[in-house]
Amino acid sequence: MATRKQTPTREVLLDAACRLVRRQGVAQLTLDAVAATAGVSKGGLLYHFPSKEALIQGMVEHLLDEYSNRIARETSQETDTPGKWVRAYVRTTFDPSPQEREMSAGLLAAIATNPELLEPLRSRYREWQASVEDDGLDPALASVIRLAADGLWFAELFDLAPPDQALRTKILHTLLKLSGE
């Protein structure tokens, strides 16, 4: 009889916190609500995240790690040509996993709770921008491509008139073409 692989409690808690923020808003993000949503005791939650800020920090870091890992996987599948990293970034941004969509709620929670919790995001973006500028393309063009991909992500995150699927696909192909594909 096969056993089902269980999701670690830390991930269950992070997923529950993100679902709460996405569905009910940042104001509903309490330790009690996260524990109840995750089906764990408050003590179980506090073992992994001793405070609400620690939970939000965990949400942000988890999103960044997932996103960085996907960029790395995408990059490893690319041929070694100028724009390789930029194309991986664009593809990853245009194809977020369902978990990344949920985890982006951590950014909303961080902004609303304590903007200093976004420092890991700022740091990672500095690293990503350095990769963009050192990818063999004109740094200005590579930066415009990154900023366009980021703009789509923010438009979708905040529901700021995101393009329909047909236009979104055309934008993806345009950015990839600009990056040398």
Side-chain angles (χ1 to χ4, degrees):
M1 181 165 126
T3 58
R4 199 174 100 184
K5 182 180 176 188
Q6 292 192 335
T7 305
T9 303
R10 180 177 170 82
E11 284 188 43
V12 170
L13 291 165
L14 292 169
D15 290 342
C18 290
R19 278 194 314 276
L20 268 169
V21 171
R22 294 284 278 185
R23 296 180 182 144
Q24 298 177 23
V26 174
Q28 300 305 311
L29 183 66
T30 66
L31 296 179
D32 289 326
V34 171
T37 300
V40 302
S41 68
K42 188 171 180 182
L45 173 112
L46 291 171
Y47 174 80
H48 293 280
F49 302 102
S51 68
K52 182 176 175 179
E53 282 195 352
L55 174 64
I56 294 168
Q57 183 176 15
M59 293 165 71
V60 171
E61 289 172 356
H62 189 66
L63 171 66
L64 292 173
D65 290 344
E66 288 292 314
Y67 195 73
S68 291
N69 290 338
R70 287 193 58 229
I71 291 171
R73 283 192 301 274
E74 245 336 289
T75 302
S76 71
Q77 296 173 11
E78 276 267 347
T79 59
D80 199 17
T81 59
K84 172 182 176 174
W85 198 93
V86 171
R87 287 188 297 278
Y89 184 88
V90 167
R91 283 192 188 96
T92 301
T93 302
F94 270 73
D95 188 26
S97 70
Q99 185 178 23
E100 286 167 348
R101 286 184 195 272
E102 285 291 323
M103 294 307 283
S104 62
L107 301 178
L108 301 175
I111 291 167
T113 305
N114 179 352
E116 289 179 20
L117 294 174
L118 289 178
E119 187 50 42
L121 179 69
R122 292 181 188 108
S123 176
R124 196 73 60 101
Y125 261 95
R126 285 188 293 271
E127 292 171 18
W128 292 338
Q129 181 60 30
S131 295
V132 164
E133 292 176 17
D134 191 36
D135 198 27
L137 299 174
D138 172 62
L141 175 62
S143 295
V144 166
I145 294 167
R146 181 197 63 94
L147 292 168
D150 289 348
L152 174 90
W153 183 70
F154 285 116
E156 291 176 346
L157 176 64
F158 294 111
D159 196 25
L160 301 172
D164 64 27
Q165 189 59 44
L167 181 55
R168 189 180 192 281
T169 300
K170 287 180 182 178
I171 293 168
L172 170 61
H173 292 300
T174 300
L175 293 176
L176 291 173
K177 184 178 178 182
L178 287 170
S179 67
E181 185 175 78

